[in-house]
Each structure stands twice: as structure tokens, then as C-alpha cells.
């Protein structure tokens, strides 16, 4: 399956956050999430395992009870059910990969 970014609509989620749902199957999903400076990804958890790659920008992430600053090129792993969230310190883009895919994003 090929997904060209130019063909995917950037969905405005409000409060400086938008996303593109990229390639996906029943088992996994890739999502591009855009953040404006100061935008917040609220603390939440879900049943999905998640890998996040920082494509650009700087973010303060909370995963469980750890707080870290991450930058372009950094990667984070979030286990199923763990609480996590972020604050965007410099505008950027995250690539989220979910297993299994997020049906609620479609």
C-alpha cells in the first residue's frame, strides 16, 4: 500500500494540533501529528502500543512518571495502557506508529 502525503488531508484537531493518518492495516498504523509551539497533547492512555519518532521540533514528554525533553531524531516507546502526553516547545512533527491500528482515528 502506498500513501502519498500530498493526497492525505491534514485534519485540524484544534488547539494547535493537526494530523494525517498515513498507511495502515488491521494490525498497525502510521500517523503524522503536527504541533504549533505551545500546543499540548493531553495526558491520556490507550490499549495500543505506540512508537513515536520526532521528525522535527522540540517537545517535553511525560511517559508514566518520567519527564524528558526530546528533539528531532529521538524516539519514544509507550507501552499499552501507560499514561503519556506532551507540550510542544518548538513547532514540530511527530510520527506515531500504533499496534494495533487506531480504529478511532478513521
Amino acid at each position: 500500500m502506498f500513501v502519498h502525503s500530498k493526497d492525505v488531508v491534514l485534519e485540524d484537531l484544534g488547539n494547535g494540533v493537526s494530523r494525517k493518518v498515513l498507511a495502515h492495516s488491521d494490525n498497525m498504523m502510521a500517523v503524522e501529528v503536527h504541533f504549533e509551539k505551545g500546543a499540548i497533547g493531553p495526558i491520556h492512555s490507550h490499549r495500543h502500543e505506540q512508537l513515536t519518532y520526532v521528525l522535527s521540533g522540540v517537545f517535553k514528554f511525560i511517559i508514566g512518571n518520567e519527564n524528558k525533553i526530546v528533539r528531532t531524531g529521538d524516539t519514544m516507546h509507550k507501552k499499552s495502557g501507560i499514561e503519556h502526553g506532551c507540550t510542544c516547545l518548538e513547532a514540530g512533527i511527530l510520527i506515531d506508529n500504533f499496534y494495533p491500528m487506531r480504529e478511532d482515528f478513521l
Side-chain angles (χ1 to χ4, degrees), residues 1 6 14 21 23 28 36 70 76 78 88 94 98-99 105:
M1 175 179 189
K6 68 178 179 57
V21 175
M28 62 184 152
E36 295 174 8
V70 295
M76 293 145 287
K78 299 160 203 138
C88 182
L94 302 175
F98 296 98
Y99 173 81
F105 283 11

Side-chain angles (χ1 to χ4, degrees), residues 26-53:
D26 290 341
N27 296 318
M28 62 184 152
M29 173 183 277
V31 178
E32 187 179 283
V33 188
H34 297 239
F35 286 81
E36 295 174 8
K37 182 178 181 177
I40 294 172
I43 299 290
H44 66 285
S45 67
H46 42 74
R47 69 179 183 90
H48 310 83
E49 196 166 356
Q50 180 178 351
L51 289 176
T52 299
Y53 175 78

Side-chain angles (χ1 to χ4, degrees), residues 18-104:
S18 53
R19 79 171 164 227
K20 288 183 175 187
V21 175
L22 304 173
H24 58 85
S25 70
D26 290 341
N27 296 318
M28 62 184 152
M29 173 183 277
V31 178
E32 187 179 283
V33 188
H34 297 239
F35 286 81
E36 295 174 8
K37 182 178 181 177
I40 294 172
I43 299 290
H44 66 285
S45 67
H46 42 74
R47 69 179 183 90
H48 310 83
E49 196 166 356
Q50 180 178 351
L51 289 176
T52 299
Y53 175 78
V54 183
L55 185 63
S56 63
V58 178
F59 297 82
K60 179 181 179 185
F61 257 89
I62 299 168
I63 302 174
N65 54 7
E66 286 191 65
N67 294 295
K68 302 255 181 189
I69 303 295
V70 295
R71 295 176 163 75
T72 302
D74 293 339
T75 307
M76 293 145 287
H77 174 242
K78 299 160 203 138
K79 294 179 182 179
S80 175
I82 195 163
E83 289 193 334
H84 58 280
C86 69
T87 300
C88 182
L89 304 177
E90 290 181 17
I93 300 172
L94 302 175
I95 303 295
D96 284 329
N97 296 280
F98 296 98
Y99 173 81
M101 64 91 91
R102 296 284 304 256
E103 293 174 357
D104 54 322

